[in-house]
Amino acid sequence: MKEVRHGFPKDFLWGGAIAANQCEGAWDVNGKGMSTADIHPYLPNLNRKELDFNHLDSNTFERFKGNDEYYYPNHKGVEFYHRYKEYFALLHEMGFKCFRMSIAWTRIFPTGEEDKPNEAGLKHYHDVFQELKKYGIEPIVTMSHYEMPLHLVEKYNGWSSRALIDLFVKYCGTVLEEYKYEVKYWIVINQINLIQYECFGSLGILKDKTDNYLEAQFQGIHHQFVASAKVVELAKKINPEFKMGTMLADCIINPYTCNPKDVELALRRNRMQYFFGDVQILGEYPQFAIQYFDKNNIDIKVEEGDLELIKEHTVDFLCVSYYYSRCVDASKNGMDAADTVDNPYLKANEWGWAINPQGLYCTMSNYHDRYHVPMMIGENGFGYVDKLEEGNVVHDTYRIDYLGKHIRALQNAIEDGCDIFAYCSWAPFDIISAGTAEISKRYGYIYVDYDDYGNGSGNLYKKDSFYWYKNVIETNGECLKDIEL
């Protein structure tokens, strides 16, 4: 008989997560090439619920590419490239056990097609990893996080071309070999399923350069599946102790009512989210996905050996990002993953995110029941327009409330059997938003004094949540035991 569980495991990894393109800045320093993220401008009048950078056509691409009329926040970021030691010192003060970060592909291979890597880029990440090691912080490294060489978009239309498989594997093989003694946990591709919201960032596909945009997206996903399998195969040869993961953005939805049509639509929609994990964890294309492709005139070009690679080289763990939940109403919604309705029982923030900590419990429990592999939370956080008050303080009780309830829900999932080894909140310090290219949508425990145009002192100030999360880590979550959901 198994023992009753209480609380978090003693060796649980508490930490936070960032992406290189959202914090590093130094966009053209030491040989770095231009990436897809480098052409994301700040649009001050943007509706925060309508993300315009997700599905680009050629005209928009050309307009955004190096246009002096725009300000590009990612070019400066929060100067993490130059100031990472300052940030890490504060994370150490909080007691961080792990830090999820990404390597910028364009720092290693500026165009993606070079024969040899950029040595300055390789050295930079060695320095970063050594600083983490000094503090005993475990790096969890994402290889591709919404940043790919812009050259590969212009020459190949991104991942719609099979040519990107070998180019990506070359890049991954380089960093796996380079950092084989410094990094244990690797995530191959960030949120591989989020093509409805981050198609350009993840796949680099221009929609007018395809005859069938939806088909091109899933063809690109197939190429990523094959590339991931090759990377896992290579990783295990370089260091059998590597732990290789995939990452899903949780898009599991609920039926709007108990109407059987709503229930069935929710099931069909959720299956097409599980599809991405089924291929990379279970090792094969599920039948429901084959049926979906047929009904939607999607013809995936599969070459000889692809399916065998996918079957033989599955990932070791699942990384999940979770922020909010949505519903589907069969009378209003279809199979488009972005087509949802609000849950009337939940309160939404300014970006339309309906806050649902119980949804995190259900999500992780469902993934555990389906896959039975170790899991981690790679992103979970609350974006808000924080106010820096007199005395350089931020009273972010709303963030403490959000995170406390979600961590408590995660504890419930662990106690009920889920194998979860890490929690990384998004993000430990304020960074540039991937969706809206603004910094005023703040997530951090640390306030970074820049505005949306990069103005400000750049000083780092501890928010109330800084001290709160420090206590969560010190008590291994025990301080949250009285939170009611």
Side-chain angles (χ1 to χ4, degrees):
M1 181 70 72
K2 295 180 179 178
E3 294 183 356
V4 174
R5 291 182 176 181
H6 297 286
F8 289 88
K10 291 182 179 180
D11 58 351
F12 193 73
L13 297 176
W14 297 96
I18 53 92
N21 67 81
Q22 293 174 250
C23 68
E24 284 186 347
W27 72 289
D28 59 353
V29 169
N30 291 334
K32 181 185 176 298
M34 184 174 265
S35 78
T36 49
D38 292 328
I39 68 166
H40 192 177
Y42 172 58
L43 304 174
N45 298 317
L46 178 70
N47 182 337
R48 283 168 164 161
K49 296 180 182 180
E50 297 176 3
L51 307 181
D52 292 349
F53 195 68
N54 304 318
H55 302 284
L56 295 190
D57 58 23
S58 299
N59 290 334
T60 308
F61 176 80
E62 292 298 329
R63 189 171 78 250
F64 285 172
K65 190 178 68 174
N67 189 331
D68 292 338
E69 296 180 7
Y70 294 118
Y71 174 69
Y72 299 90
N74 290 336
H75 290 190
K76 182 175 182 177
V78 294
E79 297 187 313
F80 182 74
Y81 181 86
H82 296 295
R83 300 176 62 189
Y84 65 88
K85 291 183 180 181
E86 295 177 59
Y87 287 102
F88 287 166
L90 288 168
L91 301 188
H92 173 62
E93 183 180 338
M94 296 174 72
F96 269 42
K97 308 299 182 186
C98 69
F99 181 67
R100 180 181 164 240
M101 55 171 282
S102 68
I103 292 174
W105 186 349
T106 49
R107 289 202 191 279
I108 311 304
F109 291 97
T111 70
E113 292 201 289
E114 290 82 3
D115 292 328
K116 295 182 179 180
N118 173 26
E119 292 297 331
L122 293 175
K123 181 184 182 302
H124 170 72
Y125 291 109
H126 272 302
D127 294 341
V128 168
F129 295 140
Q130 287 304 307
E131 192 71 9
L132 287 172
K133 183 179 179 180
K134 182 175 80 173
Y135 292 122
I137 299 174
E138 183 84 47
I140 301 172
V141 178
T142 308
M143 294 167 155
S144 176
H145 192 136
Y146 298 157
E147 192 249 19
M148 62 182 290
L150 204 65
H151 170 76
L152 302 184
V153 175
E154 297 178 299
K155 183 173 181 179
Y156 297 108
N157 200 23
W159 281 95
S160 66
S161 169
R162 195 173 176 94
L164 263 73
I165 295 175
D166 288 342
L167 294 172
F168 183 68
V169 172
K170 176 182 68 175
Y171 153 64
C172 292
T174 299
V175 296
L176 287 166
E177 181 65 40
E178 189 75 19
Y179 309 118
K180 61 185 175 182
Y181 300 120
E182 295 168 288
V183 179
K184 175 182 178 181
Y185 295 99
W186 298 89
I187 298 165
V188 182
I189 296 173
N190 176 69
Q191 299 183 148
I192 192 171
N193 63 312
L194 206 61
I195 55 176
Q196 73 272 27
Y197 294 123
E198 295 287 355
C199 182
F200 181 72
S202 183
L203 294 171
I205 296 174
L206 299 175
K207 60 185 180 181
D208 63 323
K209 291 289 187 70
T210 69
D211 295 327
N212 182 333
Y213 184 44
L214 186 62
E215 179 181 85
Q217 292 176 66
F218 279 103
Q219 185 66 62
I221 290 295
H222 176 73
H223 293 154
Q224 289 188 337
F225 286 157
V226 175
S228 176
K230 287 189 171 187
V231 169
V232 171
E233 179 184 28
L234 182 58
K236 297 301 183 178
K237 292 178 181 177
I238 293 173
N239 184 351
E241 300 303 312
F242 280 152
K243 298 298 181 184
M244 307 300 296
T246 189
M247 182 172 177
L248 303 179
D250 181 64
C251 297
I252 306 304
I253 44 82
N254 299 308
Y256 186 69
T257 71
C258 55
N259 183 322
K261 291 184 178 180
D262 290 355
V263 174
E264 180 183 348
L265 178 59
L267 173 63
R268 290 182 178 274
R269 283 278 295 270
N270 288 339
R271 274 179 163 177
M272 284 308 296
Q273 291 302 312
Y274 289 129
F275 153 69
F276 298 86
D278 288 0
V279 175
Q280 294 196 282
I281 300 171
L282 302 182
E284 61 183 19
Y285 274 75
Q287 187 62 39
F288 60 77
I290 304 301
Q291 300 301 117
Y292 173 84
F293 295 151
D294 180 66
K295 291 177 181 177
N296 289 276
N297 299 313
I298 296 171
D299 181 20
I300 305 296
K301 300 294 189 297
V302 178
E303 292 196 2
E304 184 177 354
D306 284 359
L307 299 183
E308 289 76 12
L309 269 170
I310 289 169
K311 184 71 174 179
E312 293 171 9
H313 303 292
T314 55
V315 296
D316 301 309
F317 69 92
L318 171 63
C319 179
V320 177
S321 64
Y322 180 90
Y323 292 95
Y324 61 94
S325 69
R326 301 295 294 274
C327 296
V328 287
D329 180 340
S331 68
K332 299 177 181 179
N333 306 128
M335 286 297 292
D336 181 351
D339 186 19
T340 61
V341 295
D342 294 336
N343 187 326
Y345 295 95
L346 300 177
K347 181 181 179 181
N349 69 3
E350 190 174 348
W351 288 265
W353 293 11
I355 299 166
N356 180 12
Q358 286 88 347
L360 179 57
Y361 170 84
C362 295
T363 285
M364 300 308 288
S365 298
N366 286 334
Y367 284 130
H368 170 76
D369 293 346
R370 192 177 188 94
Y371 297 130
H372 298 285
V373 296
M375 299 183 293
M376 64 169 286
I377 296 296
E379 295 180 23
N380 175 237
F382 189 78
Y384 199 76
V385 182
D386 293 336
K387 182 180 179 181
L388 186 65
E389 299 183 8
E390 186 176 350
N392 297 319
V393 296
V394 177
H395 301 303
D396 54 343
T397 54
Y398 39 85
R399 182 168 294 110
I400 291 171
D401 179 69
Y402 174 95
L403 292 172
K405 289 178 179 176
H406 282 76
I407 295 172
R408 187 68 180 84
L410 191 68
Q411 178 183 330
N412 290 344
I414 291 172
E415 290 177 344
D416 284 351
C418 291
D419 182 1
I420 300 170
F421 64 89
Y423 173 83
C424 294
S425 60
W426 186 269
F429 45 85
D430 298 336
I431 60 176
I432 308 302
S433 168
T436 54
E438 61 182 328
I439 195 173
S440 51
K441 179 186 181 185
R442 298 177 183 270
Y443 286 90
Y445 307 116
I446 300 163
Y447 187 96
V448 183
D449 188 25
Y450 290 127
D451 65 17
D452 291 328
Y453 290 96
N455 302 311
S457 67
N459 291 340
L460 309 180
Y461 301 114
K462 302 170 187 176
K463 304 177 189 179
D464 288 356
S465 58
F466 178 99
Y467 304 100
W468 171 84
Y469 194 48
K470 183 176 187 290
N471 188 44
V472 170
I473 297 173
E474 285 178 349
T475 65
N476 201 32
E478 182 67 20
C479 63
L480 308 177
K481 65 180 181 180
D482 294 329
I483 291 179
E484 294 184 5
L485 301 179

